[in-house]
């Protein structure tokens, strides 16, 4: 029986951990062949590949630093060679290097901007080139390709002590909207998913003690910390033709974190 992404080819960056891992698995379960990108940790990437192959689709792991142009170019070129093309690019890789502004080094600033913003630009550019070359293949998808940017609620919520991260995600919002405007006439859909607080290695200290979790829950009207699968399911749906008319949108998957919960009883 055809599934949401049967016959499509997807690449997920940062797919050996957390949200990227769950997303790569979900896309595979939905019928896509998947490239599992990682930068460190080949064993974890191979585990993801094995899980995806168990669904009867193809998968392989590819090491590349998304902040390095030559590595991103080579990653997408190999995918086109091995899978024939790309239909879905999930630009997910990201990291934090937190510090108060007075203590933040220019290395911390550049590292986060390079991976979280330049990395997404490079991945989107290389995917777009292939989408533009190939165009729409109606039996595969109504669109000529999908780019999904992994953003964050911090594309709109300021975050003291994390100016590099918040600036990178604010940049992702405008990157996504501008690319969506530019590429929509070519049949390419560009959108973003903005997670709230999700249990992954990036933010362990925010939820791994009862006190930390209780404090975090005050920011989440729906009163639960999210799981990577919450994001993975949103990405899968957004990548599918069920969402074919969704262009240039950010899908917030945040248990209501962006509803200004501090105003629930005041203001
Ligand atoms: P995570 O578990 O730490 O995963 C981050 C992934 O990014 C890892 O697979 C890591 O690979 C990869 N990565 C880091 N630098 C890379 C580079 N230069 N090139 C390629 N891959 C690289 O964190 P996560 O929570 O799943 O984060 C995934 C995305 O979701 C990020 O963009 C993050 O900003 C966003 N997000 C997360 C949350 C949350 O609450 N967790 C909320 C909002 C947004 P290695 O393990 O090989 O280093």
């Amino acid at each position: 029986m055809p599934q949401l992404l049967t016959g499509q080819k997807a690449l997920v960056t940062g797919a050996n951990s957390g949200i990227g891992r769950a997303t790569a698995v979900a896309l595979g379960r939905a019928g896509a062949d998947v490239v599992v990108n990682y930068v460190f940790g080949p064993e974890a990437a191979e585990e993801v590949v094995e899980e995806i192959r168990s669904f009867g689709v193809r998968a392989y792991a590819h090491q590349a630093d998304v902040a390095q142009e030559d590595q991103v170019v080579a990653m997408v070129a190999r995918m086109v060679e091995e899978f024939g093309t790309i239909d879905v690019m999930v630009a997910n890789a990201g990291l934090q290097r937190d510090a108060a502004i007075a203590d933040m080094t220019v290395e911390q600033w550049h590292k986060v901007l390079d991976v979280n913003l330049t990395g997404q630009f490079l991945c989107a550019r290389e995917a777009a080139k292939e989408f533009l070359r190939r165009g729409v293949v109606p039996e595969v998808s109504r669109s000529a390709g999908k780019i999904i940017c992994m953003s964050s609620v911090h594309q709109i919520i300021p975050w003291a002590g994390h100016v590099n991260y918040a600036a990178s995600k604010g940049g992702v919002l405008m990157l996504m909207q501008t690319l969506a405007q530019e590429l929509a006439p070519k049949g390419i859909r560009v959108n973003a998913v903005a997670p709230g607080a999700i249990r992954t290695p990036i933010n362990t200290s925010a939820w791994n003690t009862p006190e930390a979790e209780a404090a975090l829950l005050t920011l989440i009207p729906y009163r639960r910390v999210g799981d990577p699968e919450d994001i993975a399911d949103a990405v899968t749906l957004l990548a599918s033709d069920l969402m074919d008319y969704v262009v240039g949108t950010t899908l917030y998957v945040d248990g209501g974190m962006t509803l200004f919960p501090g105003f629930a009883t005041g203001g």
Side-chain angles (χ1 to χ4, degrees), residues 128-166:
K129 283 185 198 168
E130 171 61 10
F131 298 160
L132 292 167
R133 182 200 66 76
R134 188 203 57 227
V136 178
V137 180
E139 52 278 18
V140 174
S141 175
R142 293 180 73 180
S143 83
K146 282 81 62 164
I147 296 168
I148 298 174
C149 301
M150 195 57 66
S151 190
S152 163
V153 291
H154 295 297
Q155 71 172 10
I156 56 163
I157 300 179
W159 201 16
H162 306 75
V163 69
N164 47 2
Y165 185 83

Side-chain angles (χ1 to χ4, degrees), residues 36-194:
V36 174
N37 162 253
Y38 69 101
V39 64
F40 303 114
E43 303 81 12
E46 282 306 325
E47 277 174 31
V48 182
V49 165
E50 285 311 313
E51 189 173 350
I52 294 170
R53 285 180 181 157
S54 75
F55 305 128
V57 295
R58 289 183 292 169
Y60 67 84
H62 185 101
Q63 180 179 28
D65 179 343
V66 295
Q68 301 298 322
E69 182 175 23
D70 57 339
Q71 295 184 32
V72 176
V73 170
M75 175 166 69
V76 176
R78 177 183 169 196
M79 180 174 179
V80 172
E81 205 174 297
E82 297 219 7
F83 284 174
T85 191
I86 176 170
D87 301 287
V88 182
M89 167 63 82
V90 184
N92 163 78
L95 44 72
Q96 292 178 215
R97 293 289 183 270
D98 307 330
I101 183 63
D103 301 322
M104 187 172 286
T105 64
V106 75
E107 288 76 22
Q108 288 173 313
W109 172 265
H110 278 305
K111 182 70 184 173
V112 171
L113 269 292
D114 285 354
V115 174
N116 294 13
L117 188 55
T118 306
Q120 293 215 9
F121 155 71
L122 291 171
C123 290
R125 187 188 72 186
E126 291 311 299
K129 283 185 198 168
E130 171 61 10
F131 298 160
L132 292 167
R133 182 200 66 76
R134 188 203 57 227
V136 178
V137 180
E139 52 278 18
V140 174
S141 175
R142 293 180 73 180
S143 83
K146 282 81 62 164
I147 296 168
I148 298 174
C149 301
M150 195 57 66
S151 190
S152 163
V153 291
H154 295 297
Q155 71 172 10
I156 56 163
I157 300 179
W159 201 16
H162 306 75
V163 69
N164 47 2
Y165 185 83
S168 74
K169 296 300 185 179
V172 166
L173 171 62
M174 221 12 90
L175 173 83
M176 180 280 288
Q177 289 183 325
T178 301
L179 291 182
Q181 189 192 60
E182 182 173 334
L183 294 172
K186 309 288 185 189
I188 297 167
R189 293 196 296 118
V190 186
N191 289 287
V193 171

